[in-house]
Amino acid sequence: MTARDIYLPVAAQPSVSTLVGLSQLADVEGYERVWLPETWGRDAVTTLTSIAHGTDDVGIGTSLLNVYSRSPALIGQTAATLQEASDGRLRVGLGPSGPRVIEGWHGESFERPLRRTRETIDIVKQVLSGEAVEYDGDIFELSGLRLRSDPPDPVPPIDAGGLGPKAVELAGRFADGWHALLLTVEGMADRLDDFDRGAELGDRDRASQRVTFSVPCCALADRERARAMTRQHVAFYVGGMGTYYRDALARQGYEDTATTVFEQWNDGDREAAKAAIDDELLDALAVAGTPEECRDHIERFERIDGVDAINVSFPRAAERADIEATMAALAP
Protein backbone atom coordinates (compact mmCIF):
# COMPACT_ATOMS: atom_id res chain seq x y z
CA MET A 1 0.00 0.00 0.00
CA THR A 2 1.31 3.44 -0.92
CA ALA A 3 2.05 5.59 2.12
CA ARG A 4 1.16 9.26 2.39
CA ASP A 5 3.72 11.71 3.71
CA ILE A 6 3.71 15.47 4.19
CA TYR A 7 6.19 17.82 2.54
CA LEU A 8 6.21 20.73 4.95
CA PRO A 9 5.83 24.13 3.27
CA VAL A 10 8.91 25.37 1.47
CA ALA A 11 7.68 28.98 1.74
CA ALA A 12 8.51 30.89 4.90
CA GLN A 13 6.17 30.16 7.81
CA PRO A 14 5.43 32.46 10.73
CA SER A 15 7.46 30.44 13.24
CA VAL A 16 9.12 27.15 14.08
CA SER A 17 6.09 26.42 16.23
CA THR A 18 3.91 26.63 13.10
CA LEU A 19 5.93 23.83 11.50
CA VAL A 20 5.80 21.84 14.72
CA GLY A 21 2.02 22.32 14.81
CA LEU A 22 1.61 21.09 11.22
CA SER A 23 3.75 18.07 12.07
CA GLN A 24 1.63 17.34 15.13
CA LEU A 25 -1.44 17.49 12.91
CA ALA A 26 0.21 15.06 10.48
CA ASP A 27 0.95 12.77 13.42
CA VAL A 28 -2.69 12.79 14.54
CA GLU A 29 -4.07 12.36 11.02
CA GLY A 30 -1.96 9.29 10.32
CA TYR A 31 0.59 10.53 7.81
CA GLU A 32 3.71 8.37 7.84
CA ARG A 33 6.42 11.04 7.70
CA VAL A 34 6.99 14.78 7.50
CA TRP A 35 9.76 16.01 5.22
CA LEU A 36 11.37 19.42 5.54
CA PRO A 37 13.22 21.19 2.72
CA GLU A 38 16.16 23.52 3.27
CA THR A 39 16.62 26.44 0.91
CA TRP A 40 17.33 29.95 2.21
CA GLY A 41 14.91 30.05 5.13
CA ARG A 42 15.05 28.23 8.44
CA ASP A 43 17.62 25.47 8.58
CA ALA A 44 16.18 21.97 8.46
CA VAL A 45 18.21 20.48 11.30
CA THR A 46 17.18 22.82 14.10
CA THR A 47 13.57 22.76 12.93
CA LEU A 48 13.43 18.96 12.68
CA THR A 49 14.87 18.70 16.20
CA SER A 50 11.94 20.79 17.45
CA ILE A 51 9.53 18.63 15.43
CA ALA A 52 11.06 15.43 16.82
CA HIS A 53 10.56 16.67 20.37
CA GLY A 54 7.01 17.85 19.63
CA THR A 55 5.65 14.67 18.01
CA ASP A 56 5.25 11.05 19.04
CA ASP A 57 5.06 8.69 16.08
CA VAL A 58 5.37 10.47 12.74
CA GLY A 59 8.69 9.98 10.96
CA ILE A 60 10.90 12.94 10.10
CA GLY A 61 13.15 13.54 7.13
CA THR A 62 15.26 16.05 5.23
CA SER A 63 14.18 16.68 1.66
CA LEU A 64 16.71 17.73 0.82
CA LEU A 65 19.93 18.72 2.55
CA ASN A 66 22.30 19.96 -0.12
CA VAL A 67 25.73 18.36 -0.40
CA TYR A 68 27.69 21.63 -0.66
CA SER A 69 26.98 23.71 2.45
CA ARG A 70 27.93 20.98 4.96
CA SER A 71 30.81 18.55 4.74
CA PRO A 72 29.88 14.87 4.31
CA ALA A 73 31.22 14.09 7.77
CA LEU A 74 29.10 16.85 9.32
CA ILE A 75 26.03 15.52 7.52
CA GLY A 76 26.81 12.12 9.04
CA GLN A 77 27.18 13.61 12.52
CA THR A 78 23.94 15.50 12.05
CA ALA A 79 22.07 12.40 10.90
CA ALA A 80 23.32 10.44 13.91
CA THR A 81 22.20 13.19 16.28
CA LEU A 82 18.78 13.63 14.66
CA GLN A 83 18.22 9.89 14.78
CA GLU A 84 18.94 9.97 18.51
CA ALA A 85 16.76 13.04 19.08
CA SER A 86 13.83 11.45 17.23
CA ASP A 87 14.12 8.00 18.83
CA GLY A 88 14.88 6.37 15.50
CA ARG A 89 12.35 8.15 13.26
CA LEU A 90 14.77 9.77 10.80
CA ARG A 91 15.20 9.26 7.08
CA VAL A 92 17.83 11.45 5.37
CA GLY A 93 17.35 12.98 1.94
CA LEU A 94 20.41 14.46 0.19
CA GLY A 95 20.92 16.16 -3.14
CA PRO A 96 22.91 18.80 -4.99
CA SER A 97 20.14 21.45 -5.04
CA GLY A 98 20.95 23.89 -7.86
CA PRO A 99 23.18 26.82 -8.80
CA ARG A 100 20.71 29.43 -7.55
CA VAL A 101 21.00 28.14 -3.99
CA ILE A 102 24.57 26.85 -3.99
CA GLU A 103 26.20 29.78 -5.75
CA GLY A 104 23.73 32.57 -5.02
CA TRP A 105 23.19 31.79 -1.33
CA HIS A 106 26.12 29.69 -0.13
CA GLY A 107 28.79 31.17 -2.38
CA GLU A 108 30.05 27.75 -3.43
CA SER A 109 30.84 26.67 -6.96
CA PHE A 110 28.21 24.26 -8.32
CA GLU A 111 30.71 21.76 -9.69
CA ARG A 112 30.35 18.01 -10.32
CA PRO A 113 26.96 17.67 -8.60
CA LEU A 114 26.51 13.96 -9.35
CA ARG A 115 29.99 12.96 -8.20
CA ARG A 116 29.69 15.09 -5.08
CA THR A 117 26.33 13.52 -4.24
CA ARG A 118 27.69 10.00 -4.70
CA GLU A 119 30.77 10.63 -2.53
CA THR A 120 28.68 12.32 0.15
CA ILE A 121 26.35 9.32 0.36
CA ASP A 122 29.35 6.97 0.63
CA ILE A 123 30.94 9.00 3.44
CA VAL A 124 27.72 9.55 5.39
CA LYS A 125 27.14 5.79 5.39
CA GLN A 126 30.67 5.23 6.69
CA VAL A 127 30.17 7.79 9.45
CA LEU A 128 26.89 6.21 10.52
CA SER A 129 28.47 2.74 10.65
CA GLY A 130 30.63 3.81 13.59
CA GLU A 131 33.75 2.47 11.90
CA ALA A 132 36.83 4.55 11.13
CA VAL A 133 36.19 6.66 8.04
CA GLU A 134 38.68 5.91 5.28
CA TYR A 135 37.76 7.47 1.96
CA ASP A 136 39.82 8.28 -1.11
CA GLY A 137 37.52 9.91 -3.66
CA ASP A 138 37.82 12.34 -6.52
CA ILE A 139 36.54 15.18 -4.33
CA PHE A 140 36.98 14.08 -0.72
CA GLU A 141 39.83 12.37 1.14
CA LEU A 142 39.23 11.42 4.77
CA SER A 143 41.23 9.27 7.15
CA GLY A 144 41.77 8.41 10.78
CA LEU A 145 38.63 9.41 12.69
CA ARG A 146 35.36 7.75 13.60
CA LEU A 147 32.12 9.02 15.09
CA ARG A 148 32.87 9.90 18.70
CA SER A 149 29.38 9.04 19.96
CA ASP A 150 27.70 5.67 19.66
CA PRO A 151 26.51 5.03 16.10
CA PRO A 152 22.76 5.25 15.60
CA ASP A 153 20.68 2.12 15.98
CA PRO A 154 18.95 1.67 13.65
CA VAL A 155 21.03 3.43 11.04
CA PRO A 156 18.80 5.95 9.21
CA PRO A 157 18.34 5.30 5.47
CA ILE A 158 19.93 7.74 3.03
CA ASP A 159 17.83 8.84 0.04
CA ALA A 160 18.92 10.95 -2.92
CA GLY A 161 17.03 13.51 -4.96
CA GLY A 162 17.25 13.78 -8.71
CA LEU A 163 15.40 14.93 -11.82
CA GLY A 164 17.48 13.78 -14.78
CA PRO A 165 18.16 10.21 -15.93
CA LYS A 166 21.75 10.08 -14.63
CA ALA A 167 20.86 11.57 -11.25
CA VAL A 168 18.03 9.09 -10.78
CA GLU A 169 20.24 6.19 -11.84
CA LEU A 170 22.79 7.33 -9.26
CA ALA A 171 20.09 7.28 -6.56
CA GLY A 172 19.19 3.73 -7.48
CA ARG A 173 22.82 2.62 -7.48
CA PHE A 174 24.08 4.19 -4.25
CA ALA A 175 21.15 5.36 -2.10
CA ASP A 176 18.40 3.70 -0.11
CA GLY A 177 15.71 5.61 -1.96
CA TRP A 178 14.86 8.39 -4.39
CA HIS A 179 12.87 11.63 -4.05
CA ALA A 180 10.94 12.63 -7.18
CA LEU A 181 8.93 15.74 -8.06
CA LEU A 182 7.40 17.65 -10.98
CA LEU A 183 6.68 14.51 -12.95
CA THR A 184 3.63 13.29 -14.79
CA VAL A 185 2.51 9.69 -14.44
CA GLU A 186 4.25 8.86 -17.73
CA GLY A 187 7.35 10.86 -16.81
CA MET A 188 7.56 9.06 -13.48
CA ALA A 189 7.49 5.69 -15.25
CA ASP A 190 10.49 6.73 -17.38
CA ARG A 191 12.51 7.84 -14.37
CA LEU A 192 11.59 4.69 -12.46
CA ASP A 193 13.26 2.76 -15.27
CA ASP A 194 16.42 4.80 -14.57
CA PHE A 195 16.15 4.10 -10.84
CA ASP A 196 15.67 0.37 -11.40
CA ARG A 197 18.67 0.29 -13.75
CA GLY A 198 20.79 1.98 -11.08
CA ALA A 199 19.66 -0.52 -8.45
CA GLU A 200 20.68 -3.34 -10.77
CA LEU A 201 24.08 -1.77 -11.48
CA GLY A 202 24.67 -1.34 -7.77
CA ASP A 203 23.47 -4.87 -6.96
CA ARG A 204 20.93 -3.34 -4.60
CA ASP A 205 17.87 -5.01 -3.15
CA ARG A 206 15.25 -2.98 -5.00
CA ALA A 207 12.53 -4.16 -2.64
CA SER A 208 14.33 -2.46 0.26
CA GLN A 209 14.63 0.90 -1.53
CA ARG A 210 11.93 3.53 -1.18
CA VAL A 211 10.63 5.91 -3.86
CA THR A 212 8.96 9.05 -2.51
CA PHE A 213 7.03 11.17 -5.02
CA SER A 214 6.19 14.76 -4.06
CA VAL A 215 2.97 16.02 -5.65
CA PRO A 216 1.70 19.62 -5.27
CA CYS A 217 -1.74 19.40 -3.65
CA CYS A 218 -4.42 21.92 -2.75
CA ALA A 219 -7.88 20.70 -1.76
CA LEU A 220 -10.28 23.55 -0.98
CA ALA A 221 -13.98 24.27 -1.21
CA ASP A 222 -12.94 27.26 -3.35
CA ARG A 223 -11.89 25.25 -6.39
CA GLU A 224 -10.63 28.15 -8.49
CA ARG A 225 -8.45 29.48 -5.68
CA ALA A 226 -6.92 26.05 -5.16
CA ARG A 227 -6.09 25.71 -8.83
CA ALA A 228 -4.78 29.27 -9.19
CA MET A 229 -2.35 28.82 -6.29
CA THR A 230 -1.16 25.47 -7.61
CA ARG A 231 -0.71 26.84 -11.15
CA GLN A 232 1.41 29.68 -9.76
CA HIS A 233 3.48 27.14 -7.81
CA VAL A 234 4.24 25.06 -10.90
CA ALA A 235 5.07 28.18 -12.92
CA PHE A 236 7.50 29.35 -10.24
CA TYR A 237 9.42 26.08 -10.30
CA VAL A 238 9.57 25.84 -14.10
CA GLY A 239 10.30 29.53 -14.62
CA GLY A 240 12.01 30.77 -11.50
CA MET A 241 14.26 28.01 -10.17
CA GLY A 242 16.95 27.81 -12.81
CA THR A 243 16.83 25.33 -15.67
CA TYR A 244 16.45 22.01 -13.82
CA TYR A 245 12.67 21.98 -13.63
CA ARG A 246 12.29 23.49 -17.09
CA ASP A 247 14.43 20.71 -18.53
CA ALA A 248 12.58 18.05 -16.54
CA LEU A 249 9.27 19.22 -17.97
CA ALA A 250 10.71 19.36 -21.50
CA ARG A 251 11.94 15.76 -21.20
CA GLN A 252 8.35 14.69 -20.57
CA GLY A 253 7.10 15.99 -23.90
CA TYR A 254 6.26 19.58 -22.92
CA GLU A 255 9.25 21.37 -24.38
CA ASP A 256 7.28 24.24 -25.93
CA THR A 257 5.35 24.88 -22.73
CA ALA A 258 8.46 24.64 -20.57
CA THR A 259 10.25 27.15 -22.80
CA THR A 260 7.31 29.55 -22.79
CA VAL A 261 6.90 29.44 -19.01
CA PHE A 262 10.63 29.93 -18.48
CA GLU A 263 10.91 32.83 -20.91
CA GLN A 264 7.77 34.63 -19.77
CA TRP A 265 8.67 34.27 -16.10
CA ASN A 266 12.18 35.59 -16.61
CA ASP A 267 10.88 38.44 -18.76
CA GLY A 268 8.75 39.49 -15.81
CA ASP A 269 5.38 38.49 -17.26
CA ARG A 270 4.28 36.13 -14.48
CA GLU A 271 0.65 36.10 -15.62
CA ALA A 272 1.63 34.85 -19.08
CA ALA A 273 3.86 32.23 -17.50
CA LYS A 274 0.99 30.93 -15.38
CA ALA A 275 -1.44 31.03 -18.31
CA ALA A 276 0.90 28.80 -20.33
CA ILE A 277 0.17 25.95 -17.91
CA ASP A 278 -3.18 24.73 -19.15
CA ASP A 279 -5.65 22.63 -17.18
CA GLU A 280 -4.46 19.38 -18.74
CA LEU A 281 -0.85 19.95 -17.72
CA LEU A 282 -1.83 21.18 -14.26
CA ASP A 283 -3.78 17.98 -13.67
CA ALA A 284 -0.90 15.91 -15.02
CA LEU A 285 1.52 17.39 -12.47
CA ALA A 286 -0.61 18.23 -9.45
CA VAL A 287 -3.75 17.58 -7.40
CA ALA A 288 -5.84 20.75 -7.17
CA GLY A 289 -9.55 21.40 -6.77
CA THR A 290 -12.31 20.46 -4.37
CA PRO A 291 -11.64 17.88 -1.63
CA GLU A 292 -13.71 15.29 -3.51
CA GLU A 293 -11.82 15.87 -6.77
CA CYS A 294 -8.48 15.71 -5.00
CA ARG A 295 -9.22 12.48 -3.16
CA ASP A 296 -9.99 10.85 -6.50
CA HIS A 297 -7.13 12.45 -8.38
CA ILE A 298 -4.35 11.60 -5.95
CA GLU A 299 -5.06 7.92 -6.51
CA ARG A 300 -3.71 8.25 -10.09
CA PHE A 301 -0.28 8.92 -8.62
CA GLU A 302 -0.61 6.27 -5.92
CA ARG A 303 -1.31 3.60 -8.53
CA ILE A 304 2.11 4.07 -10.20
CA ASP A 305 3.95 0.78 -9.87
CA GLY A 306 7.21 1.36 -8.00
CA VAL A 307 6.13 4.40 -5.95
CA ASP A 308 6.17 3.70 -2.20
CA ALA A 309 4.99 7.05 -0.80
CA ILE A 310 3.14 10.09 -2.08
CA ASN A 311 4.48 13.23 -0.47
CA VAL A 312 1.61 15.74 -0.19
CA SER A 313 3.17 19.15 -0.82
CA PHE A 314 1.54 22.58 -0.91
CA PRO A 315 1.57 25.66 -3.14
CA ARG A 316 4.02 28.36 -2.13
CA ALA A 317 1.19 30.85 -1.59
CA ALA A 318 -0.90 28.52 0.60
CA GLU A 319 -1.85 29.89 3.99
CA ARG A 320 -2.01 27.74 7.10
CA ALA A 321 -5.77 27.26 6.77
CA ASP A 322 -5.27 26.04 3.17
CA ILE A 323 -2.57 23.61 4.28
CA GLU A 324 -4.66 22.25 7.14
CA ALA A 325 -7.72 21.83 4.90
CA THR A 326 -5.66 19.95 2.33
CA MET A 327 -4.10 17.72 4.98
CA ALA A 328 -7.54 16.87 6.34
CA ALA A 329 -8.97 16.16 2.89
CA LEU A 330 -6.11 13.86 1.88
CA ALA A 331 -5.40 12.18 5.23
CA PRO A 332 -4.72 8.43 4.90
Side-chain angles (χ1 to χ4, degrees):
M1 182 176 178
T2 308
R4 286 192 192 173
D5 296 346
I6 289 294
Y7 188 80
L8 291 165
V10 66
Q13 296 298 300
S15 65
V16 171
S17 64
T18 301
L19 293 164
V20 173
L22 292 173
S23 302
Q24 290 169 335
L25 183 59
D27 205 357
V28 170
E29 292 185 337
Y31 287 95
E32 186 165 305
R33 188 172 304 275
V34 294
W35 298 95
L36 187 66
E38 185 177 80
T39 53
W40 52 90
R42 295 183 180 89
D43 81 277
V45 176
T46 307
T47 308
L48 282 173
T49 302
S50 297
I51 290 170
H53 288 163
T55 55
D56 296 319
D57 299 312
V58 71
I60 63 170
T62 59
S63 186
L64 300 161
L65 290 182
N66 78 73
V67 296
Y68 290 88
S69 61
R70 296 174 178 86
S71 73
L74 178 56
I75 293 173
Q77 292 173 258
T78 300
T81 307
L82 271 176
Q83 182 72 322
E84 180 181 355
S86 65
D87 295 322
R89 290 183 280 149
L90 176 68
R91 195 171 183 104
V92 181
L94 302 176
S97 187
R100 183 176 180 188
V101 173
I102 303 309
E103 296 179 352
W105 181 247
H106 294 291
E108 298 288 337
S109 178
F110 190 72
E111 295 180 346
R112 305 184 71 184
L114 295 184
R115 184 70 198 185
R116 192 177 185 102
T117 301
R118 181 228 167 131
E119 292 194 11
T120 298
I121 292 170
D122 289 343
I123 294 167
V124 170
K125 288 187 173 184
Q126 282 198 32
V127 170
L128 294 174
S129 75
E131 301 298 322
V133 177
E134 301 288 339
Y135 195 81
D136 183 13
D138 292 349
I139 298 174
F140 297 105
E141 294 184 15
L142 293 82
S143 180
L145 294 174
R146 72 179 71 224
L147 190 65
R148 202 169 192 176
S149 57
D150 290 336
D153 184 18
V155 173
I158 310 296
D159 297 341
L163 292 173
K166 289 298 182 183
V168 178
E169 181 182 293
L170 180 147
R173 189 173 182 181
F174 299 105
D176 302 312
W178 167 47
H179 288 221
L181 73 164
L182 205 72
L183 292 168
T184 66
V185 171
E186 295 76 14
M188 185 66 177
D190 290 340
R191 296 289 76 79
L192 280 167
D193 288 342
D194 299 324
F195 186 75
D196 292 343
R197 182 172 58 255
E200 184 176 354
L201 288 170
D203 196 24
R204 304 298 304 276
D205 177 8
R206 178 65 180 84
S208 71
Q209 294 175 304
R210 183 178 183 85
V211 172
T212 301
F213 184 13
S214 290
V215 179
C217 298
C218 193
L220 304 176
D222 187 341
R223 182 179 190 273
E224 293 311 310
R225 182 167 180 270
R227 292 180 69 79
M229 282 196 294
T230 309
R231 199 184 309 273
Q232 190 276 342
H233 178 87
V234 173
F236 169 78
Y237 271 85
V238 176
M241 287 295 286
T243 60
Y244 276 93
Y245 298 100
R246 180 199 67 187
D247 293 346
L249 187 58
R251 275 192 297 270
Q252 297 172 78
Y254 296 94
E255 184 171 0
D256 290 345
T257 299
T259 300
T260 298
V261 173
F262 184 84
E263 291 178 349
Q264 296 288 0
W265 188 279
N266 287 280
D267 285 344
D269 193 342
R270 306 295 166 80
E271 291 304 315
K274 289 186 288 185
I277 299 168
D278 62 22
D279 286 340
E280 180 182 354
L281 178 56
L282 182 64
D283 288 333
L285 294 170
V287 173
T290 65
E292 294 77 12
E293 286 178 304
C294 290
R295 281 191 288 267
D296 289 339
H297 192 45
I298 198 170
E299 292 180 0
R300 290 185 62 243
F301 297 101
E302 290 180 322
R303 288 195 295 267
I304 301 172
D305 187 30
V307 171
D308 300 290
I310 294 296
N311 204 353
V312 176
S313 68
F314 311 99
R316 296 172 65 251
E319 299 175 357
R320 181 165 182 173
D322 304 320
I323 294 168
E324 291 182 352
T326 301
M327 290 175 65
L330 299 180

